[in-house]
Amino acid sequence: KLAPLGRRRGCGARHYTAAAAAARDQAPQLYRDQRAIIFPGQGAQFVGMGKDLYEQFPAAREVFDEADEALGLNLSRLVLGGDPKDLVLTANAQPAIVAVSVAALRALESATGLAASAMYSFAMGHSVGEYSALIAAQAVSLADGLRLVRARGEAMQAAAAGLDYAMSACILRRAAIADVIADVERVQREIDDKSAGAAGGGACGANGDVVQVANVNSSSQIVLSGTRAAVDLALASLQQRRLAARAVNLPVSAPFHCRLMAPAKKALESQIRALAPIRGQSEWTMPVVANVTARPHGSPDEVQRLLIEQVDSPVLWLQSMQYLKTAHGISRWGAMGPGSVVGNLAGKEYATDIVRRLTDAAAIKSFATVLARQAQRGY
């Protein structure tokens, strides 16, 4: 049973204010202004992820220990050697991915002797990875972030109960994203029109059929989410109009980032309002780009509002990468945490950029060596 929401003892504001000040005072590393750190979302999980970090970096092991304490369950055992059927459950997968992502970051900081904000000028994360990014920027504590993520996962899992849903990744045929979104919205309007006269009809149709663009991952990939029948209709339309070449059904445990998640949105809002976990901006060590707006978060109130909206809003990942590229000249991406999805998205979208997939101990040690060489050369 989970521990009640609240702040972990010993993690007061004074400690984090000092940590933030120390990170700001640290001399920025070469290329920092060209670097952004990015974190994965659900689907990146696998049993054994982070095991080498746990074994080789005490700083990473401390993250696992704090996660167990904050959640009141043995998340470490599930992540390092549990049953894959248990790990894939949304309520478990989401905090597990965040914990491993933050463990990788702590390992990198330990290996380099540098704060994350001395190496990276921006942070962002895909869906639940946005919580990892906020933790990396010290906008929220690890314990509070994990409690929110666990509550978010439980609410999403509950909202999906009894639904015949689907999520499908679509490879586009050099189509404009706006055209793809417009066609999916047209399909939804047709569904609504056909069911408008049925008993119980309304915005979602008599049978609750819904399809939305859930993720804009790159200029060549979007993800649809909703009820299976509506997703199939939208896919058929996209392919018939030669907007999409092919689609792959994703093995997910809920239809994320569509209006079927409205109950989860309400549940998360209640938890966020009760916890008020976002720290004052003076304690943040770097800006974090929001999924909903593809722009940096502003005030703590705005962070909380956008985290709530994110539950049933699309993840604007492509637009977020474009913002960092065009507005801030980002050309070096640190893909931190399990899996390779976000690193692959950055690498395919910007083929000449440098993408470091910092997913395991070997990759982290290799990057630390690179930074040490630069320091020796007076960079």
Side-chain angles (χ1 to χ4, degrees):
K1 195 171 182 179
L2 287 180
L5 287 172
R7 299 192 182 279
R8 184 171 182 257
R9 288 179 295 177
C11 295
R14 183 180 301 175
H15 166 76
Y16 285 105
T17 301
R24 284 194 297 270
D25 292 342
Q26 197 167 29
Q29 202 272 333
L30 179 69
Y31 302 125
R32 172 192 176 273
D33 291 345
Q34 299 172 28
R35 289 200 196 103
I37 188 169
I38 53 180
F39 295 93
Q42 192 165 343
Q45 73 279 348
F46 61 91
V47 172
M49 61 181 179
K51 186 175 182 180
D52 59 341
L53 302 174
Y54 182 91
E55 293 173 345
Q56 298 181 42
F57 292 98
R61 191 156 52 248
E62 289 175 3
V63 172
F64 281 89
D65 291 344
E66 186 169 349
D68 291 347
E69 180 182 345
L71 299 179
L73 57 83
N74 199 331
L75 186 69
S76 300
R77 184 191 302 169
L78 176 60
V79 170
L80 300 176
D83 188 333
K85 293 181 181 179
D86 292 331
L87 183 60
V88 76
L89 295 175
T90 301
N92 295 330
Q94 293 193 10
I97 291 166
V98 171
V100 174
S101 296
V102 176
L105 178 63
R106 298 289 182 258
L108 177 63
E109 291 178 322
S110 175
T112 60
L114 295 167
S117 58
M119 295 178 276
Y120 298 95
S121 58
F122 281 88
M124 70 177 187
H126 194 286
S127 189
V128 75
E130 189 166 342
Y131 291 78
S132 303
L134 289 164
I135 293 168
Q138 295 187 29
V140 64
S141 73
L142 173 62
D144 283 348
L146 285 169
R147 291 186 184 108
L148 281 180
V149 168
R150 173 72 178 193
R152 178 183 189 266
E154 287 180 327
M156 286 181 161
Q157 194 168 298
L163 295 176
D164 183 19
Y165 59 83
M167 290 189 75
S168 293
C170 303
I171 306 302
L172 306 182
R173 290 182 179 271
R174 299 183 179 275
I177 297 295
D179 292 339
V180 173
I181 293 174
D183 195 57
V184 173
E185 291 177 344
R186 180 190 59 78
V187 170
Q188 181 65 64
R189 286 195 300 272
E190 289 182 358
I191 292 171
D192 292 344
D193 289 344
K194 288 179 180 179
S195 59
C204 293
N207 298 315
D209 282 327
V210 170
V211 61
Q212 287 177 240
V213 173
N215 304 341
V216 181
N217 283 337
S218 70
S219 57
S220 61
Q221 184 193 107
I222 58 102
V223 175
L224 299 183
S225 181
T227 55
R228 190 174 305 278
V231 169
D232 287 346
L233 282 174
L235 288 175
S237 178
L238 290 173
Q239 290 171 339
Q240 182 179 12
R241 293 166 184 263
R242 300 188 64 78
L243 295 173
R246 59 189 175 88
V248 177
N249 287 329
L250 303 177
V252 296
S253 53
F256 305 121
H257 301 291
C258 76
R259 64 195 190 204
L260 294 174
M261 290 290 100
K265 182 178 180 179
K266 292 180 180 178
L268 180 64
E269 180 176 10
S270 175
Q271 298 286 20
I272 287 180
R273 300 301 184 199
L275 185 57
I278 309 302
R279 299 181 178 127
Q281 285 177 282
S282 65
E283 299 179 56
W284 302 4
T285 57
M286 70 179 96
V288 178
V289 178
N291 285 182
V292 173
T293 62
R295 293 294 184 272
H297 280 291
S299 67
D301 285 344
E302 182 186 67
V303 175
Q304 294 183 178
R305 176 177 61 80
L306 291 178
L307 289 179
I308 294 165
E309 287 186 21
Q310 188 224 55
V311 172
D312 62 357
S313 298
V315 174
L316 302 181
W317 191 253
L318 169 63
Q319 295 89 332
S320 297
M321 290 193 295
Q322 289 173 334
Y323 167 77
L324 289 177
K325 168 68 72 175
T326 59
H328 296 281
I330 296 299
S331 60
R332 297 164 184 261
W333 308 85
M336 181 71 62
S340 57
V341 172
V342 292
N344 289 347
L345 290 174
K348 290 178 181 178
E349 194 66 30
Y350 303 113
T352 61
D353 283 8
I354 295 173
V355 179
R356 289 192 176 273
R357 294 166 177 81
L358 302 169
T359 60
D360 55 35
I364 286 169
K365 290 177 180 178
S366 175
F367 186 40
T369 300
V370 169
L371 297 186
R373 287 196 192 119
Q374 291 176 352
Q376 290 172 356
R377 294 170 182 169
Y379 295 171

